Amino acid sequence: MKVEAKMLLFLGLFFGAMCAVYWNWSLENAGGVMMFAGMLLCFLPGSYYYWWSRRMKERPEDNPNATQAEGAGVIDTFPGSSIFPFVLGMGAFFTVLALVFGVWLLVPGLALAGWAFLGGIGEGRRGGTH
Amino acid sequence: MLKSVRNSGDARTRGRASRRARRVLALPFAALVLSGCTVPGFGASPGDTTSSQSTFHLWQGFSIGAVIVGGLTLALMLWSIVMHRQKGDAIPKQTQYNVPLEIIYTVIPILIVIGLFAATLVVENKVVANPKTDVIVNVNAFQWGWEFLYPGHNAVVYGQTTQSPVMVIPANENVHVNLTSTDVIHGFYVHAFNFSRYALPGVTNQFTFRATNTGTFFGQCTQLCGLYHSYMYFRVKVVSPADYQKWLATFNTPKGEAAAKAAAASLQQQLSTGVPTLPANTKFGR
Amino acid sequence: MTDVLAPTPTQHHDDHHGDEHHGPTGIVKWLTTTDHKIIGLSYTVTSVLMLVIGGFFAEIIRLQLSSPNGSLVSLAQYNELFTMHGSVMIYLFVGPFAFGALANIIVPIQIGAPDMAFPRLNALSYWLYLTGSITMLSGFFTSGGAANFGWVGYAPLSNSLNTPGAGADLWIGGLLLTGFSAIFTGVNLTATIFYLRAPGMTMFRMPIFTWNLLVTGILILLAFPVLTAGLIMLYCDRHFGTHIFSNTGGGVPVLWQHIFWFWGHPEVYILALPMFGMVTEVIAVFSKKPVFGYKGMIFATLTIAALSLGVWAHHMFTTGVVLLPFFSIMSLLIAVPTGIKMFNWIGTMWRGQIWFSTAMLMSLGFLFTFLIGGLTGIYLASPPLDFFTHDTYFVVAHFHSVVMALVLGAMAGLFYWGPKITGYILDERLGKAQFWFLFLGSQVFTFPQYLLGLYGMSRRMAVYPEQPQWQHLNELSTLGALMIGVSTILFVINIGYSWKKYPAGDNPWDAQTLEWFTTSPPPHHNFYRLPQIRSERPTWDYNHPEHRSLEHGTDHVVGAETEAHA
Ligand code: HEM
Ligand SMILES: [Cu+2]
Ligand SMILES: [Cu+2]
């Protein structure tokens, strides 16, 4: 986890430095703001990973000498299949079409999205299909 | 969007540092400029203003660098393609690192880049400089044509699309252009000047150039501006200073004044209808 | 949902569990799948289809331009065509192909993961991409036609006054959908790489392809939200009466350019880094060598990512309102890590045993074409030279050198990983014919355009002045475009011709990375067993234990110290 954290923190530092130079040199604000936001976007996960990397015990994937046996066991729970990504996608589709062809399309759009949210959460709690 | 300019002192120190840099860089650059005629143009041409010639020399410098670096890289590539083709089933030596070599091919490109940047700064400062000048032209771009105004004089030139309005300027004098747009973004591009600049609505872009040759040069809008973008031509006519004065004087007669008024009126009409009224014709050379 | 058990170590490879997947089949399977391999395949097919559609528009454009007063299409249609050509190619082909197609399939397998970290989010990404593509393209079927303000949508041309009509709004809507799709993919890639690596797969043992996609994922997260925000502002300007980008209401047109290119330049690397990764893998495998300067390559990639956020206004030099020296030096500097990569690729081939398979030829074509695109990019980083060439065909040629290199890289990836994904190899003779048409076509297509730009022909023109110098160059460029078209047809023919013809086996190329350790196609959740991971080439180390990577001029095995304490 340390490499991941340091990589993000380094990127954030670099964006911060670049932002400082640009802010003071240029007569334009938008770029400085966007670079500052870029810095924050790196610091946020970077510092979180860094904080954790100092508290957790080394993961097998960070250990150059790890054997496959050390990773044995359950990796995680993965959904086998689910209709809800498709339903949510269709909901987003209709919502975007509402931007172009009329507000009434929000009705199916939001309905599909709502169904997908509820269904997806329920699926996760039940353990889902397969 | 604009912050107020805050540090004039800063600019002064920067000026001193860059002057020193300029002196150091002047030598190889001067050598390049002097040999300008014998060095090939790599597809570009020197153009007809002082800046266009500086740009051209910079182009030559970059091209020489590109040919050397590109040629070397290509040679290495071809060498390994030809010499290291598969010959049998042997597994080659699995070399993965050669740190000194890697450092070399990191440091040398950095040095090249610094050199290119320094040369860029020298030319850029020339090209964007705005020295004091007597000839001022206000250029107004619109969908789809150009208007050239000469502040302090009666002269107005106006034309849509292939009417190719002509911007008349004197040779060997600094000409200052105030460029703006009345609607969308357009591009003021004169190929013979090796130069282009956006015409932005709400912004007045300023630049100065000095034409070295008389003649008529082809100009064109380069930034997509809608339906008739492809037809948004103009021309720049560079004449002797005396002829320029004569040309300005033609607008001081009653007839000239009427023509200027008509031009201004047709711009107004154009802006209100937004449709060009002229048939297109593209049959002309430079 | 299934609990996925870690694959067993190689020693016990006989007693693997029957981890077969018994789910729905047919169209239901396609609609409900969360398997990264099927999603990746859908991405691959859809994005290659977009390449064909965008290429079709390009051929019409080039035919129109083969004579000065071409009358194949009208002015209005021409504007729609190049706008949708650029948009389809950038937003719907290269981007999704780069980070959604092969990446989706290969990255989890390369690091020994059973799937992406968020499989359902991954499926959502695909549906957003598909519906976004449909949304954008459906502009052609509206009465006002498709968007016609260029793929960059500069304000104020893109406001409701200058471009009324549904086509423009569909363009914005499509981009919103594909934008979110990209963001979700970025999240997924990053999380997968951070959390699902197999034991021993440390960060500095990940294949370059995976590394590049990690950096791509991070860049997506940095860049795409900016575009999405900008599009929402543009939509507000068009429909809710705001004046963010129009100076008539006190807004700033150039702000759109800042926002767009703050996304747009990192986007160039979002498109390029995955193809760099593909080419890196292919070159190493077909030279039978490890990637030369593996760590240097990674640092170069990270440097590119770092710099790429500070160069956006090199697309705006001629606006006259940007800080020229800052953007000039940053843009020039980005050439340095790119150069390092180029030399690393050559170093990988050096003293290798190069096998000229189609994938390798495509990669070599990439090297040449990208070299040209990179060198001409250096000119454009110099403001005076950009003033000279901006918005002329020189720029069109420059970025087509780059994107045609990316197409070559994409083809290399398809020929290289196709057997892993489908279990069958594509026909090599047809592949080589395709290569020559694509490679030579790209050069014949771009070289005249460089000259045209230098001779003053500006871009986005449906008709152009009759100048003898320009005429033949335009004809030649059209010829090149037709050759590229032929290459695409050959590719489609090849897929049909080689359908289930040449079974691939697990590892047809004697390749190096983990995906070649499993079956072709890999089973559900990818692995029955995993080898010990002691370098970035576990499969190679397993097959050739006596040929580990070496430090220069020694027999010293790279990374041997860390293993010593084992
Ligand atoms: C079959 C191969 C291709 C041909 C023949 C082709 C042709 C062209 C031509 C002639 C233009 C200039 C249109 C104009 O300025 O009037 C153009 C623009 C463009 N092309 Fe391509 N192209 C090809 C492939 C690609 C690929 C693979 C990509 C990206 C991945 C791409 C991206 C673009 C973009 C972004 C533009 C700018 C559009 C604009 O000006 O708004 N092209 N193409
Ligand atoms: Cu225009
Ligand atoms: Cu860029």
Side-chain angles (χ1 to χ4, degrees), chain B residues 63 79 84-87 91 94 96-97 105 120 185 191 196-198 205 220 222-223 229-230 282, chain C residues 69 288 290 293 318-319 344 350-351 353-354 356 379 382 387 390-391 454 461-462 536-537 549-550 552:
Chain B
S63 298
W79 177 270
H84 305 137
R85 273 171 309 169
Q86 187 169 36
K87 307 175 192 90
I91 290 180
Q94 299 291 301
Q96 183 158 36
Y97 291 102
Y105 67 62
T120 294
I185 301 173
H191 175 241
S196 72
R197 184 55 67 83
Y198 281 3
N205 259 325
Q220 161 138 47
T222 47
Q223 180 58 39
H229 164 64
S230 315
T282 53
Chain C
N69 282 306
K288 279 198 189 304
T318 60
T319 56
N344 281 348
W350 202 256
R351 303 235 169 107
Q353 291 272 348
I354 301 177
F356 294 99
Y379 290 84
S382 171
F387 296 164
H390 184 71
D391 273 343
L454 295 176
M461 296 202 300
E536 83 283 2
R537 310 194 288 168
S549 305
L550 303 175
H552 172 69

Side-chain angles (χ1 to χ4, degrees), chain C residues 51 85 104 208 316 370 372 395 439:
Chain C
L51 170 67
H85 162 67
N104 219 330
I208 294 288
M316 302 163 59
F370 187 71
I372 306 289
V395 169
F439 175 67

Side-chain angles (χ1 to χ4, degrees), chain C residues 51 55 58-59 61-62 65 78 82-83 85-87 89-90 93-94 150-152 393 396 399-400 403-404 407 445 449 459-461 481 484-485:
Chain C
L51 170 67
E59 299 298 343
I61 294 175
R62 263 329 315 172
L65 292 180
Y78 187 82
F82 71 71
T83 299
H85 162 67
S87 301
M89 286 296 197
I90 299 283
F93 160 57
V94 223
W151 76 283
V152 296
Y393 262 86
V396 176
F399 69 67
H400 277 96
V403 295
M404 291 321 296
V407 173
F445 166 58
Q449 292 186 352
R459 70 191 273 204
R460 294 169 168 176
M461 296 202 300
I484 299 171

Side-chain angles (χ1 to χ4, degrees), chain C residues 57-127:
Chain C
F57 296 160
E59 299 298 343
I60 302 178
I61 294 175
R62 263 329 315 172
L63 287 177
Q64 162 79 9
L65 292 180
S66 59
S67 66
N69 282 306
S71 54
L72 187 62
V73 294
S74 69
L75 293 184
Q77 284 167 334
Y78 187 82
N79 285 0
E80 287 172 39
L81 278 173
F82 71 71
T83 299
M84 292 310 278
H85 162 67
S87 301
V88 167
M89 286 296 197
I90 299 283
Y91 303 118
L92 308 183
F93 160 57
V94 223
F97 184 90
F99 51 73
L102 294 180
N104 219 330
I105 305 176
I106 299 300
V107 164
I109 316 185
Q110 275 196 333
I111 58 174
D115 202 318
M116 288 289 239
F118 308 113
R120 284 181 294 178
L121 189 67
N122 196 17
L124 177 61
S125 284
Y126 175 70
W127 298 117

